[in-house]
Amino acid sequence: MPVWCCSCSLAGHFRNYSDTETEGEIFNSLVQYFGDNLGQKVKAMPLVEETSFLEDSSVTLPVVVIGNGPSGICLSYMLSGYRPYLSSEAIHPNTILHSKLEEARHLSIVDQDLEYLSEGLEGRSSNPVAVLFDTLLHPDADFGYDYPSVLHWKLEQHHYIPHLVLGKGPPGGAWHNMEGSMLTISFGNWMELPGLKFKDWVSSKRRNLKGDRVMPEEIARYYKHYVKVMGLQKNFRENTYITSVSRLYRDQDDDDGQDRNISTQHLQIEKSKFIKRNWEIRGYQRIADGSHVPFCLFAENVALATGTLDSPAYLEIEGEDFPFVFHSMPEFGAAISKGKLRGKVDPVLIVGSGLTAADAVLCAYNNNIPVIHVFRRRVTDPSLIFKQLPKKLYPEYHKVYHMMCTQSYSVDSNLLSDYTSFPEHHVLSFKSDMKCILQSLSGLKKIFKLSAAVVLIGSHPNLSFLKEQGSYLGHNSSQPITCKSNPVEIDAYTYECVKEANLFALGPLVGDNFVRFLKGGALGVTRCLATRQKKKHLFVERGGGDGIA
């Protein structure tokens, strides 16, 4: 399929889709969205090459979603017209919330006041809509209960908002790249998306679900299947790489109707003359022969659903770029699989105190590779993730935590044969002879010979397609966006970026690392866009415009 420029010149530059059914589907939905007046101006969704510069006024896609992981998939599901309602037989265990839901039982949750419904709820997300949606889908899950969802879903096609979801790989995002030997941190049913129970999907496959936790590759296959079974494929484009997302402004005194990028300085000087219009999304699609085909899209709204696993965090110390220093589990796992560390006497250095670092410890330990485990925190630090995980449900992680506490380094004992922890230490440098220098809190330095090093201290999203790498969207604009310390600053109920209108963010970018909570972002964005759509249609019906965005 050729790559497209969805700028849809009303004057021409037509080029046919190879799939006429898809063309018709998208065009019909655009007519539905913009009003029948559009049908008099455009008879098809034309495709144009990147080199075609369209000077005429152009129709824009209502929404472009960047990222096709669970956040992007769930948003596409709801933008496609699926609506959650309170089930007729459902009784939510939170009596106050249930009484609120009863007040508007005839309305979908998308059409209700999310702030009112969220009031007073508590959960393991800082975003109130995420907590609300989670408790509707998994009531009292944090108390160990497995209550059924109080919602049922209806497909209401008149609520469909045309959109495209762009992703580098198949639907499921980073789940397709995770180390397959590890169990997910969450229960299988917490990983599921609305309308398709994970257990039902697993039971229809090759095996029974023996435990509540599952392998990442099973989750990846589930997400890919979900897009297909829910009929969302027409909204998804794989193998797409975004190179820029920029604002377009319209000069109100300019009669030629041409969209253009306006410099920040020019905008500040003549701010009153310009109104913010649409987004321009540029990138390329990698096709079967490996070549890159560029594309250009215009969108009324952009939703960022990229996740935060794109770029591993670095210690930024001397020697970190030596080939024996890894920065991801797949790299480390591949080295073990290829036998590169088999029979090595020198230990592997693992840096970090999170679950990924714990996975690396387990991976090395299970392959009889001795480990030096270095982390900055005290083992009694209450913020360590292990303290938030029940021992019965996560025995392997508590095994690592137990070793962290009981097998720490001392001058008397030196290195232990299988595992030695170095709490409150950091790495000063790596040397070309595969040695590392560690330093304690007191300043004492130690040198060790290694067989490899694995630095697992978190990751950053790749927002290079945005100005300032997207940092201006964060709570602290001088720092890069991170899930924990500097998420994108959003409106709590619409998920619209505080510092950029018509730009939305959801999932790990706003601090929701767990799938069970990122679904709330899809609810918030959908409600916001649906509300604006109603206002736009009302405006058009009253003769306020021609229906073209």
Side-chain angles (χ1 to χ4, degrees):
M1 176 180 173
V3 176
W4 11 259
C5 178
C6 205
S7 47
C8 308
S9 166
L10 299 181
H13 300 287
F14 289 128
R15 181 176 164 194
N16 292 328
Y17 275 101
S18 58
D19 184 344
T20 55
E21 181 181 3
T22 302
E23 173 190 298
E25 287 174 348
I26 296 179
F27 171 66
N28 289 337
S29 61
L30 281 169
V31 171
Q32 178 179 307
Y33 183 85
F34 290 119
D36 291 336
N37 190 39
L38 176 63
Q40 300 168 12
K41 298 188 177 184
V42 182
K43 293 185 178 179
M45 280 285 289
L47 296 173
V48 299
E49 298 291 356
E50 165 76 7
T51 53
S52 299
F53 184 77
L54 305 178
E55 297 186 354
D56 300 312
S57 176
S58 57
V59 176
T60 61
L61 206 63
V63 188
V64 168
V65 183
I66 300 175
N68 65 353
S71 295
I73 295 171
C74 192
L75 180 55
S76 177
Y77 178 76
M78 298 189 72
L79 292 177
S80 295
Y82 286 94
R83 290 293 182 265
Y85 288 84
L86 182 66
S87 297
S88 56
E89 71 284 356
I91 300 178
H92 197 282
N94 184 321
T95 55
I96 296 175
L97 176 59
H98 185 76
S99 64
K100 291 180 180 179
L101 294 168
E102 286 285 3
E103 293 171 9
R105 176 180 280 276
H106 62 290
L107 294 177
S108 79
I109 304 300
V110 173
D111 297 314
Q112 296 188 40
D113 184 340
L114 300 183
E115 184 172 2
Y116 173 63
L117 293 178
S118 303
E119 188 179 11
L121 297 178
E122 295 181 354
R124 289 196 291 162
S125 170
S126 59
N127 295 311
V129 177
V131 175
L132 167 66
F133 210 26
D134 178 64
T135 194
L136 295 176
L137 294 167
H138 307 289
D140 281 356
D142 285 333
F143 296 106
Y145 295 107
D146 190 20
Y147 293 138
S149 169
V150 298
L151 302 177
H152 74 279
W153 293 82
K154 295 180 182 179
L155 175 57
E156 299 176 346
Q157 292 181 334
H158 60 284
H159 287 313
Y160 177 78
I161 297 177
H163 61 282
L164 282 180
V165 182
L166 308 179
K168 296 176 182 177
W175 285 94
H176 290 279
N177 303 320
M178 292 186 184
E179 183 67 20
S181 63
M182 302 300 171
L183 292 169
T184 62
I185 184 66
S186 296
F187 299 141
N189 64 328
W190 287 0
M191 313 297 288
E192 68 192 22
L193 299 178
L196 179 63
K197 289 186 176 296
F198 181 77
K199 287 183 178 179
D200 293 346
W201 176 78
V202 168
S203 64
S204 70
K205 301 298 175 183
R206 52 179 169 70
R207 71 171 185 88
N208 294 322
L209 195 63
K210 294 179 181 178
D212 288 322
R213 292 167 62 206
V214 293
M215 296 291 192
E217 64 262 27
E218 290 179 300
I219 297 297
R221 286 196 295 270
Y222 165 80
Y223 290 145
K224 189 174 181 180
H225 177 77
Y226 181 92
V227 169
K228 182 178 180 181
V229 77
M230 293 300 174
L232 307 179
Q233 306 103 305
K234 67 178 181 180
N235 305 316
F236 281 72
R237 298 292 184 273
E238 299 179 16
N239 303 313
T240 57
Y241 296 78
I242 309 302
T243 55
S244 76
V245 175
S246 56
R247 270 286 188 192
L248 293 175
Y249 298 91
R250 180 180 293 280
D251 187 337
Q252 292 176 312
D253 295 334
D254 198 7
D255 293 327
D256 66 7
Q258 179 176 317
D259 292 328
R260 61 188 61 193
N261 283 301
I262 305 297
S263 70
T264 304
Q265 185 179 7
H266 188 186
L267 184 64
Q268 290 172 342
I269 294 172
E270 302 188 52
K271 193 172 183 180
S272 61
K273 293 178 62 180
F274 296 94
I275 57 172
K276 290 187 177 182
R277 186 176 182 260
N278 300 322
W279 293 98
E280 179 190 75
I281 302 103
R282 290 180 178 268
Y284 62 88
Q285 187 175 39
R286 182 176 292 163
I287 56 177
D289 65 3
S291 61
H292 295 173
V293 182
F295 66 80
C296 169
L297 292 167
F298 292 98
E300 190 175 353
N301 302 280
V302 169
L304 302 174
T306 61
T308 59
L309 295 177
D310 287 312
S311 305
Y314 278 65
L315 295 168
E316 298 182 356
I317 59 173
E318 177 192 345
E320 197 172 1
D321 56 351
F322 285 131
F324 66 87
V325 182
F326 305 123
H327 289 85
S328 72
M329 268 301 294
E331 282 183 307
F332 182 48
I336 290 177
S337 299
K338 293 175 182 177
K340 292 182 178 179
L341 303 177
R342 189 179 296 125
K344 295 285 186 181
V345 177
D346 296 320
V348 166
L349 171 71
I350 296 173
V351 184
S353 59
L355 295 179
T356 309
D359 283 341
V361 169
L362 289 168
C363 190
Y365 188 87
N366 294 336
N367 284 277
N368 299 313
I369 300 171
V371 172
I372 293 176
H373 188 190
V374 174
F375 45 96
R376 290 178 176 271
R377 298 182 185 182
R378 307 186 316 274
V379 292
T380 55
D381 190 323
S383 65
L384 283 173
I385 185 65
F386 308 101
K387 293 185 173 292
Q388 303 172 36
L389 303 177
K391 289 184 180 180
K392 288 184 178 181
L393 297 178
Y394 304 97
E396 76 279 25
Y397 288 130
H398 278 276
K399 175 183 177 180
V400 173
Y401 180 55
H402 179 73
M403 292 194 298
M404 290 166 65
C405 295
T406 61
Q407 295 181 220
S408 58
Y409 177 83
S410 68
V411 177
D412 298 329
S413 64
N414 292 315
L415 292 182
L416 301 174
S417 60
D418 55 356
Y419 172 95
T420 308
S421 69
F422 286 78
E424 298 182 275
H425 280 69
H426 65 278
V427 184
L428 274 183
S429 64
F430 295 104
K431 301 300 180 183
S432 58
D433 58 357
M434 298 185 73
K435 290 181 179 178
C436 73
I437 302 176
L438 307 183
Q439 186 173 39
S440 69
L441 209 58
S442 63
L444 185 65
K445 296 178 183 178
K446 308 173 187 68
I447 301 175
F448 295 101
K449 183 82 163 65
L450 308 174
S451 61
V454 195
V455 178
L456 299 168
I457 55 172
S459 58
H460 303 301
N462 180 2
L463 298 176
S464 59
F465 51 81
L466 292 171
K467 69 177 183 180
E468 300 173 21
Q469 309 283 312
S471 61
Y472 78 104
L473 299 172
H475 287 264
N476 183 349
S477 59
S478 64
Q479 297 294 320
I481 298 296
T482 60
C483 176
K484 292 182 180 179
S485 59
N486 191 35
V488 173
E489 187 177 8
I490 55 168
D491 179 279
Y493 301 99
T494 67
Y495 285 73
E496 187 170 28
C497 296
V498 169
K499 295 165 185 172
E500 193 75 86
N502 303 108
L503 182 65
F504 298 81
L506 62 164
L509 289 176
V510 299
D512 285 329
N513 239 346
F514 292 107
V515 173
R516 56 181 285 207
F517 292 115
L518 60 78
K519 290 171 273 193
L523 173 62
V525 174
T526 301
R527 168 161 171 72
C528 178
L529 295 176
T531 301
R532 290 178 184 176
Q533 181 181 353
K534 288 178 184 177
K535 291 179 180 178
K536 179 185 293 187
H537 284 177
L538 186 63
F539 177 70
V540 172
E541 288 169 6
R542 289 178 176 174
D546 65 355
I548 304 296

